[in-house]
Amino acid sequence: REHVRSILEDAADRGDTRIGVEAMSLLDAYGIPTPDGDIVDSPEDAVTAAQDVDGDVVMKIVSPDILHKSDIGGVKVGVSNEEVFDAYEDLITRARNYQPDATILGVQVQEMVNLDDGVETIVGMNRDPQFGPLLMFGLGGIFVEILEDTTFRVAPVSENEAREMTDEIQTAPLLRGARGRDPVDRDAIVETIQRLSQLVSDFPAILELDINPLVALPKEGDETGVQAVDVRLTID
Ligand code: ADP
Ligand code: MG
């Protein structure tokens, strides 16, 4: 809790009301799994960070002014160790070109999550003036806007309510395993919804929060559970 408080205070001190992946550790603090990685502010440190991570990495621009990172080419997937140095400089250049006065906190170097076997979901919260904190769950990635396949509950949610959420979206069969795919770890999604529910109940200053994608991995196999790959929030 102390950790979350200090992240929120740091952002407030900077005058930021929007926060991106610089707040990833806030999820860790509430037991929501995130990929290994680090945020660095030099190409040399990016190389070191990438060496600490198994295999290729994902690199993302970290800026409270750029919360839709892919839109400006601010996410590079599958970067090999040799490519990391140049990728760092390219990401910074893209951010500067996009908005010369953007606050740039650095670049996130993140472990790759296996999307082939996983399903991209979205878990979020929006504070409704009438109902309070509304938790949202749905299919993530590119499908969010197209399908609008989402469901809502008022926080705090019970385990049962969280489970209902994962059951009642139209694409729930995808989570149960469709067309020969392995079923995903729904217990881990349920737990994530509950942990997010706790987080937003503890911190009323969080007005909005989105984990998109929360990658749901197969229930059985080498990699199981969920991985929160991206986060953005709005604070009071
Ligand atoms: P944004 O939503 O700001 O564009 P994301 O961090 O969500 O940035 O990255 C965009 C997309 O890149 C994700 O939806 C996902 O498909 C892919 N991606 C991001 N991080 C990873 C990762 N660690 N492993 C695998 N794919 C990733
Ligand atoms: Mg995203």
Side-chain angles (χ1 to χ4, degrees), residues 2 15 22 38 44 57 59 61 100 112 121 128 135 151 173 178 193 211 227 234:
E2 271 318 300
E22 65 270 28
D38 212 350
E44 290 81 7
V57 294
M59 294 174 69
I61 193 73
M112 291 274 287
T121 67
D128 182 273
L135 296 172
T151 180
I193 295 171
I211 302 173
Q227 289 285 341
T234 312

Side-chain angles (χ1 to χ4, degrees), residues 99-184:
Q99 190 181 323
D101 64 347
T103 301
I104 297 173
L105 300 175
V107 166
Q108 184 182 43
V109 178
Q110 191 179 61
E111 186 180 30
M112 291 274 287
V113 173
N114 184 350
L115 293 178
D116 291 342
D117 298 332
V119 176
E120 292 191 58
T121 67
I122 176 168
V123 180
M125 185 279 298
N126 227 313
R127 247 172 241 282
D128 182 273
Q130 201 177 345
F131 297 106
L134 276 186
L135 296 172
M136 185 260 278
F137 174 72
L139 206 64
I142 49 170
F143 300 119
V144 172
E145 288 90 18
I146 304 171
L147 296 179
E148 291 188 35
D149 186 15
T150 49
T151 180
F152 297 85
R153 286 288 184 291
V154 179
V157 294
S158 66
E159 182 180 339
N160 240 348
E161 287 175 296
R163 197 168 301 277
E164 281 168 16
M165 292 175 81
T166 68
D167 244 336
E168 68 196 12
I169 58 171
Q170 286 165 41
T171 46
L174 258 179
L175 304 177
R176 295 191 199 105
R179 299 194 165 243
R181 293 172 59 96
D182 292 327
V184 304

